Amino acid sequence: MKITSQHIADLNKIQDTTYKAELNLLESKLSKRGISLENVINKVADFQVAIPSWALGAGGTRFGRFSYGGEPATLEQKLDDIGLIHALTKSAGAVSLHIPWDIPQDYKAIKELAQSHDIIFDAVNSNTFQDQAGAKHSYKHGSLSSTIEASRAYAVEHNLEVIKIGEQLGSKSLTVWLADGSSFPGQRNFQAVLQQTENSLKQIYAGMPDDWKLFIEYKPYEPNFYSTVIQDWGTSFMLANACGDRAYTLVDLGHHLPNSNIEQIVATLMYKGKLGGFHFNDSKYGDDDLTVGSIKPYALFLIFNELVYGMENNPQNPYPAWMIDASHNVKDPLEDLIQSLEAIRIAYAQALLVDQAALKAAQFDNDVVLAQELLQDAYRTDVRAILKAARVQSGAVADPIAAYRSLAVRNGLINERGTGSKATGL
């Protein structure tokens, strides 16, 4: 199933166009602040988020997994699904592969397929958090941090192999997330496992091409519940510094203890030039991996306010890599991803409306009330008309969810693949 430019044109003819009147009102309001609406629309239109190859099927819980039918059973089908999302939104122009779940069989054909969908290959992701069929060594007691030298070497070699796969696709970065840790006091020596992890990461870093980046993720708990080797941004930051200039911290919004001030973490990392990228999701209790912006949209906006400030004022920090990392347990995965893309762009657009000069002046004048008013005025501005204009300008549909349902995409996928088709990976 493929959505053509003619589909897009036909849908935009019949979809609601009242957003154009809303744009006129916004332009009048923003011009008084010296903000160019056209500039905001262009920035939103350019903002692309990678879709991970594991996110196109139904997510799972410890108790069950409930398919939606028509799931992509191959990497080719996953790229086709991302192509559908990108055609509707023009904001999903990259894919992040997870290895070994999605190893290409024919690199040339996969690259050509991605190119036909206008999709590039973003960061590749290694997997040392589970033993694969036929594995020579086990990660039961850790991977990069294991006390068993053979397991550590096996995990390092896997990461180096992932890099080789990424090179053939045009990727330029590797994301490492470790499940390594302990579930009971005294189970592991904290200093020893941290040293083993640092040594292993240095080996991986040394094996990267000179134009690659290493993204080091962190998580306070799960699947281990007493300790995690890379438990917070500070540990990730320390390890990135130990590896070298091309190693960075990666922030997953679900990988924090409750009520962590993620926007402050973002600001600190950008100030130090060490924010490599983002995994977007939302949560109520822990690493829930819910639709982006579904629970804490104001927190997402505050994070983007720091990102916008950092991208303007911290040239020492590279442009971050953006990716969605969510689990679709009760929603159609493609609809869920479209909603997440919408939420991300909404927060970005709202942050672009913050009068940064006025905010900084209020902060330095200790005018707490004005600072709050400036932030909340931008947050309370309905920017959905901006997103619609950005999509139409890019050749997408004004309302992707309505278009997805109008075209009966899920039914089309079920007809093509069947009700029993199951996505690889999670």
Side-chain angles (χ1 to χ4, degrees):
M1 185 175 187
K2 191 166 185 177
I3 297 173
T4 66
S5 57
Q6 189 58 53
H7 283 130
I8 301 294
D10 291 342
L11 286 163
N12 280 337
K13 285 179 184 176
I14 62 174
Q15 287 191 346
D16 184 13
T17 59
T18 56
Y19 75 90
K20 294 179 180 178
E22 296 171 18
L23 279 177
N24 292 332
L25 291 173
L26 267 175
E27 185 169 30
S28 175
K29 178 181 179 181
L30 296 178
S31 64
K32 294 176 182 176
R33 302 187 201 165
I35 297 175
S36 166
L37 178 62
E38 180 182 5
N39 185 48
V40 173
I41 291 173
N42 289 338
K43 286 187 175 182
V44 171
D46 290 340
F47 196 87
Q48 299 293 311
V49 183
I51 305 295
S53 61
W54 65 88
L56 286 309
T61 69
R62 289 182 298 149
F63 306 105
R65 182 180 183 278
F66 305 95
S67 176
Y68 295 86
E71 291 188 15
T74 65
L75 176 55
E76 288 81 1
Q77 290 180 349
K78 291 180 179 183
L79 290 177
D80 286 340
D81 283 6
I82 297 173
L84 290 171
I85 296 171
H86 191 45
L88 292 173
T89 67
K90 291 301 180 189
S91 58
V95 58
S96 186
L97 293 191
H98 191 290
I99 309 299
W101 294 342
D102 293 300
I103 300 176
Q105 300 302 309
D106 184 333
Y107 286 90
K108 183 175 182 293
I110 283 295
K111 289 171 71 175
E112 289 175 351
L113 178 59
Q115 189 174 21
S116 74
H117 292 303
D118 194 26
I119 293 169
I120 63 171
F121 289 91
D122 202 39
V124 283
N125 303 262
S126 59
N127 180 337
T128 61
F129 54 82
Q130 57 185 197
D131 291 345
Q132 305 299 321
K136 296 178 182 178
H137 302 280
S138 178
Y139 300 136
K140 180 178 180 179
H141 297 295
S143 59
L144 297 183
S145 73
S146 178
T147 56
I148 304 168
E149 184 178 355
S151 293
R152 289 201 311 275
Y154 194 55
V156 169
E157 184 57 37
H158 166 68
N159 278 276
L160 295 176
E161 182 62 31
V162 172
I163 292 169
K164 292 177 183 176
I165 291 170
E167 280 189 277
Q168 296 185 68
L169 296 168
S171 294
K172 294 292 183 183
S173 52
L174 168 72
T175 298
V176 174
W177 173 73
L178 297 183
D180 295 22
S182 62
S183 289
F184 300 96
Q187 180 180 343
R188 307 193 75 185
N189 182 291
F190 292 140
Q191 293 188 25
V193 295
L194 184 60
Q195 183 64 62
Q196 300 285 26
T197 300
E198 180 178 320
N199 292 341
S200 297
L201 286 171
K202 284 179 177 178
Q203 292 177 58
I204 295 168
Y205 184 84
M208 293 195 315
D210 291 340
D211 58 348
W212 270 54
K213 298 183 181 75
L214 174 63
F215 299 146
I216 303 172
E217 203 169 344
Y218 57 90
K219 190 175 183 179
Y221 67 94
E222 194 186 40
N224 287 288
F225 288 93
Y226 175 65
S227 70
T228 304
V229 176
I230 309 179
Q231 81 276 23
D232 56 26
W233 71 272
T235 306
S236 170
F237 175 74
M238 178 182 66
L239 291 169
N241 280 335
C243 286
D245 293 340
R246 293 178 291 108
Y248 301 88
T249 293
L250 185 138
V251 175
D252 184 308
L253 295 186
H255 290 189
H256 301 86
L257 295 174
N259 301 316
S260 293
N261 192 329
I262 302 175
E263 54 267 35
Q264 186 177 16
I265 295 171
V266 168
T268 303
L269 287 171
M270 295 192 86
Y271 174 67
K272 289 295 183 180
K274 279 293 183 180
L275 178 67
F278 255 82
H279 284 182
F280 291 107
N281 47 52
D282 211 337
S283 61
K284 178 68 174 178
Y285 299 108
D287 189 22
D288 305 338
D289 277 349
L290 300 176
T291 315
V292 182
S294 60
I295 304 292
K296 295 175 280 195
Y298 188 56
L300 182 64
F301 159 75
L302 293 175
I303 290 166
F304 261 100
N305 179 59
E306 296 302 331
L307 287 168
V308 167
Y309 180 87
M311 287 188 285
E312 290 291 328
N313 294 278
N314 301 132
Q316 68 274 27
N317 200 94
Y319 185 76
W322 317 109
M323 193 192 83
I324 293 171
D325 189 1
S327 182
H328 324 288
N329 300 325
V330 294
K331 291 181 182 177
D332 179 325
L334 303 192
E335 286 191 329
D336 197 334
L337 288 164
I338 290 170
Q339 286 186 314
S340 286
L341 290 167
E342 178 90 349
I344 292 166
R345 277 183 151 186
I346 282 175
Y348 179 47
Q350 289 169 329
L352 290 172
L353 302 188
V354 174
D355 187 335
Q356 293 291 345
L359 178 60
K360 193 167 187 178
Q363 291 166 340
F364 276 74
D365 287 341
N366 296 309
D367 193 337
V368 183
V369 170
L370 179 57
Q372 178 180 324
E373 289 296 307
L374 289 166
L375 285 176
Q376 294 194 344
D377 182 62
Y379 173 70
R380 289 169 176 155
T381 301
D382 188 349
V383 297
R384 288 175 295 178
I386 292 175
L387 269 66
K388 289 180 179 180
R391 281 192 290 266
V392 172
Q393 177 177 296
S394 301
V397 290
D399 189 338
I401 290 291
Y404 182 88
R405 295 190 169 193
S406 174
L407 293 170
V409 173
R410 179 54 57 185
N411 288 337
L413 294 174
I414 291 172
N415 289 336
E416 287 181 9
R417 303 168 184 169
T419 57
S421 181
K422 182 178 178 181
T424 55
L426 292 175

